C-alpha cells in the first residue's frame, strides 16, 4: 500500500501565486485515504537567503529536514510501503530522492516537468529553488541544499520539458542528462526504454503538473503550451512501472486560482496520482 506525505511548501516557488500551492496541496490531501496520509505543518515564514543565491534558503532547509524525519519515521513503521510525496513546489522532491537513493544504490530519477529545473544559484534568473532542484539532485549547487554523489547525472531522465533557459540546455549536454521531448513521451515505451538504458534497477518519478498540456489542467501558475495529456503521461508511467520497480515518487506544482477552485482539477490530478501509487 502506498503512503502519502503532503508537504504544502511554497518557499521554493518563483510565482506570485506561490501561496496558492498551499491550497493545491490541501485540496489533494482531502481526496487521499486519511489513514495513509500525513500532512506536514510547513512553517509559513519566508526564511532568509543566508548570503546565497537561493531565496528563502533557511525555510527550505528546515522543511527538507522535516520531510527527511517523516520518511525516516515511516521506515520504522512500514519500511516496505512506498511513499508518494505531494507538494507544494518542486523543492519537496529533494529529501525523498535522497531517501530513495540511500535504500537503492544505482537509482534512476525521472523528472517530468515543463521546465528542467537545472539552473544553479549563479545562473537562476529568479533565485527560486524550484528552478534548481534537479541540479541539486545531481550534486551541483548550494552545499546546504544539494545531494552529494547520490544520483549520477547519467541516471537522470527529464521528460516533457519544453521551456529551457540557456544554462539548463548547457547542463543537459555537460552532465549527460537524457531529455525526452513531449513527442517522444507519446511513444508509451520510450520512458521505460530510457530508464533501462541507464542500467538502473529502481526508479524514482517526480511529476510537476505543468508538464501537462494547459488544456488538461487549469491550476498551473506556469503554463507551457503543447504538453502531454493525462492519458499519455499515465500510460508512460504505467509501462515504466511494469519494467522497473518504482521505489518513490512525488507530485508538485498544483496552484489553483483560489481555494474555491482547488477542486476543479482534482480528477486529472488523481489520475496521475493513481499511476504513481
Amino acid at each position: 500500500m502506498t503512503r502519502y506525505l503532503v508537504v504544502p511548501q511554497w518557499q521554493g516557488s518563483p510565482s506570485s501565486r506561490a501561496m496558492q500551492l498551499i491550497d493545491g496541496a490541501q485540496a489533494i490531501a482531502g481526496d487521499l485515504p486519511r489513514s495513509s496520509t500525513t500532512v506536514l505543518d510547513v512553517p509559513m515564514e519566508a526564511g532568509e537567503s543566508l548570503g546565497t543565491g537561493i531565496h528563502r534558503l533557511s525555510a527550505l532547509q528546515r522543511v527538507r529536514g522535516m520531510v527527511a524525519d517523516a520518511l525516516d519515521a515511516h521506515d520504522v513503521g512500514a519500511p516496505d510501503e512506498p511513499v508518494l510525496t505531494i507538494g507544494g513546489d518542486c523543492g519537496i522532491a529533494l529529501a525523498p530522492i535522497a531517501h530513495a537513493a540511500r535504500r537503492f544504490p544505482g537509482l534512476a530519477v525521472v523528472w517530468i516537468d515543463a521546465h528542467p529545473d537545472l539552473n544553479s544559484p549563479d545562473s537562476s534568473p529568479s533565485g527560486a529553488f524550484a528552478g534548481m532542484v534537479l541540479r541539486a539532485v545531481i550534486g551541483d549547487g548550494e552545499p546546504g541544499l544539494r545531494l552529494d554523489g547520490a544520483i549520477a547525472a547519467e541516471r537522470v531522465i527529464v521528460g516533457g520539458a519544453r521551456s529551457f533557459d540557456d544554462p539548463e540546455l548547457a547542463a543537459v549536454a555537460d552532465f549527460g542528462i537524457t531529455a525526452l521531448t513531449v513527442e517522444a513521451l507519446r511513444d508509451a515505451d520510450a520512458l521505460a526504454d530510457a530508464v533501462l538504458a541507464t542500467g538502473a534497477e529502481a526508479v524514482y518519478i517526480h511529476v510537476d503538473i505543468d508538464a501537462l498540456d494547459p488544456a488538461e489542467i487549469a491550476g498551473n501558475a506556469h503554463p507551457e503550451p503543447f504538453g502531454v495529456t493525462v492519458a499519455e503521461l499515465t500510460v508512460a508511467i504505467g509501462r515504466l512501472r511494469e519494467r522497473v520497480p518504482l521505489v518513490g515518487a512525488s507530485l508538485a506544482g498544483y496552484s489553483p486560482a483560489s481555494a474555491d477552485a482547488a477542486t476543479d482539477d482534482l480528477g486529472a490530478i488523481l489520475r496521475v496520482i493513481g499511476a504513481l501509487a
Side-chain angles (χ1 to χ4, degrees), residues 134-244:
L134 193 53
R135 188 79 169 244
V137 164
I138 61 175
D140 189 48
E142 171 59 36
L145 205 62
R146 73 182 184 203
L147 309 187
D148 289 319
I151 302 294
E154 295 81 6
R155 294 198 305 273
V156 171
I157 293 92
V158 173
R162 50 203 187 275
S163 178
F164 290 77
D165 294 326
D166 287 343
E168 293 177 310
L169 287 170
V172 169
D174 293 345
F175 289 105
I177 293 169
T178 298
L180 298 179
T181 64
V182 170
E183 186 62 32
L185 287 178
R186 292 186 173 126
D187 175 348
D189 290 307
L191 185 57
D193 289 344
V195 171
L196 288 168
T198 71
E201 297 180 355
V203 65
Y204 182 102
I205 302 175
H206 173 77
V207 176
D208 186 327
I209 61 96
D210 69 11
L212 296 170
D213 190 88
E216 298 278 293
I217 191 162
N220 177 1
H222 302 283
E224 296 288 345
F226 310 116
V228 293
T229 66
V230 172
E232 290 165 344
L233 178 59
T234 55
V235 168
I237 291 172
R239 293 288 183 88
L240 173 57
R241 295 190 64 180
E242 289 172 1
R243 299 169 66 186
V244 185

Side-chain angles (χ1 to χ4, degrees), residues 4 15 19 22 32 43 54 65 69 80 82 105 127-128 130 157 174-175 179 183 186 202 210 231 246 259 274 276-277:
Y4 303 92
S15 173
M19 299 293 287
I22 300 171
L32 299 176
I54 302 177
D69 289 346
D80 296 327
I157 293 92
D174 293 345
F175 289 105
E183 186 62 32
R186 292 186 173 126
D210 69 11
L246 177 66
L276 294 171

Side-chain angles (χ1 to χ4, degrees), residues 36-98:
S36 304
T37 302
T38 299
V39 181
L40 292 189
D41 185 14
V42 172
M44 290 298 294
E45 60 264 24
E48 303 292 337
S49 65
L50 304 180
T52 71
I54 302 177
H55 294 175
R56 311 181 183 120
L57 175 66
S58 62
L60 294 165
Q61 289 175 316
R62 181 178 176 187
V63 177
R64 178 188 177 184
M66 293 171 63
V67 175
D69 289 346
L71 292 169
D72 288 343
H74 164 79
D75 284 350
V76 173
D80 296 327
E81 295 180 351
V83 177
L84 172 53
T85 305
I86 294 169
D89 66 70
C90 287
I92 58 96
L94 190 66
I97 291 174

